[in-house]
Amino acid sequence: MKKQLLMNVMMAVMVVGLLTMVACSKPQVADPGNVYQGQSEETDAERAARLEAERAARLEADRIKAQQLDDQRQAQIAEAESRFLNQNILFDYDSAELSDQAKDLLREKAAWLQANPSETVMIEGHCDERGTTVYNLALGERRANAAQNYLVDLGVSAHRLGTVSYGEEKPLDPASTEAAYRINRRAQFIFR
């Protein structure tokens, strides 16, 4: 009987040990790569379709990025062109001599012209309203020629540059003030 009791106790200890081992073991987790348990792996056709869709998405993202870069480049070109056209060379009263500031601006214009070899420009010479019409036409011509000659000295082809004088005929500001006179004494650039 003692033998029987010992066997039952040992059997009970083993059962309790087995149950403890099962209860304390880590739970089995499904393979995260295989979300759909019980279904077969991706077929070759499905894989090919998935890869083609990914490739198409990458191509579209690349196309959008290239378009954005092109738009940005076009905006920079338009801004540089606008600066070229809208920055006038200003002159002192009764003078066709280029100031240091005018020379700096002409160097920028020369760099732009060299970067855009297909562009040709007309340099307009302008004056304020003081002086005779004939005198102002001659002064406007000297101003346009001074700008042209400086650009040619910087390496811009003379064939790409033309000059014309408008004298006092086309003021930017028609007022009879010193501020108006200052901006009207100019060499102005337009595309031809």
Side-chain angles (χ1 to χ4, degrees), residues 129 170-177 180-181 183-184:
E129 65 185 24
K170 294 186 175 185
L172 286 178
D173 186 344
S176 295
T177 64
Y181 294 156
I183 65 170
N184 289 336

Side-chain angles (χ1 to χ4, degrees), residues 4-188:
Q4 183 68 26
L5 183 62
L6 188 56
M7 285 292 267
N8 284 340
V9 170
M10 282 183 78
M11 198 58 126
V13 169
M14 285 177 71
V15 168
V16 169
L18 268 169
L19 287 175
T20 304
M21 281 177 46
V22 169
C24 291
S25 69
K26 290 184 180 179
Q28 294 295 325
V29 179
D31 178 13
N34 188 4
V35 178
Y36 305 107
Q37 284 184 331
Q39 292 184 359
S40 65
E41 298 250 342
E42 181 177 51
T43 66
D44 288 342
E46 291 169 335
R47 182 171 186 272
R50 179 179 54 81
L51 291 174
E52 179 58 28
E54 290 172 0
R55 186 181 75 76
R58 278 192 310 273
L59 287 173
E60 180 62 13
D62 290 346
R63 186 195 65 75
I64 289 171
K65 186 175 180 179
Q67 183 63 47
Q68 289 171 339
L69 289 173
D70 187 52
D71 291 347
Q72 188 178 36
R73 187 177 65 79
Q74 292 296 330
Q76 290 171 341
I77 290 169
E79 180 184 339
E81 186 175 291
S82 176
R83 272 195 323 269
F84 179 86
L85 292 174
N86 295 318
Q87 291 181 322
N88 296 327
I89 307 301
L90 300 180
F91 293 89
D92 289 334
Y93 175 71
D94 195 28
S95 174
E97 187 175 325
L98 296 170
S99 66
D100 290 339
Q101 183 180 7
K103 289 177 183 178
D104 289 342
L105 189 52
L106 284 168
R107 278 190 286 274
E108 288 177 27
K109 290 181 182 295
W112 188 89
L113 285 166
Q114 289 166 344
N116 296 279
S118 64
E119 295 292 347
T120 59
V121 295
M122 180 65 68
I123 305 169
E124 300 176 342
H126 297 272
C127 301
D128 61 36
E129 65 185 24
R130 298 174 290 184
T132 67
T133 301
V134 172
Y135 181 81
N136 283 338
L137 283 171
L139 179 58
E141 184 176 347
R142 288 195 311 273
R143 289 175 175 170
N145 288 337
Q148 179 188 35
N149 292 337
Y150 196 78
L151 289 172
V152 170
D153 289 345
L154 293 173
V156 178
S157 170
H159 293 88
R160 297 175 57 202
L161 305 170
T163 62
V164 64
S165 175
Y166 288 108
E168 63 191 66
E169 295 174 20
K170 294 186 175 185
L172 286 178
D173 186 344
S176 295
T177 64
E178 198 53 48
Y181 294 156
R182 185 180 157 300
I183 65 170
N184 289 336
R185 296 187 305 257
R186 70 194 188 281
Q188 186 169 339

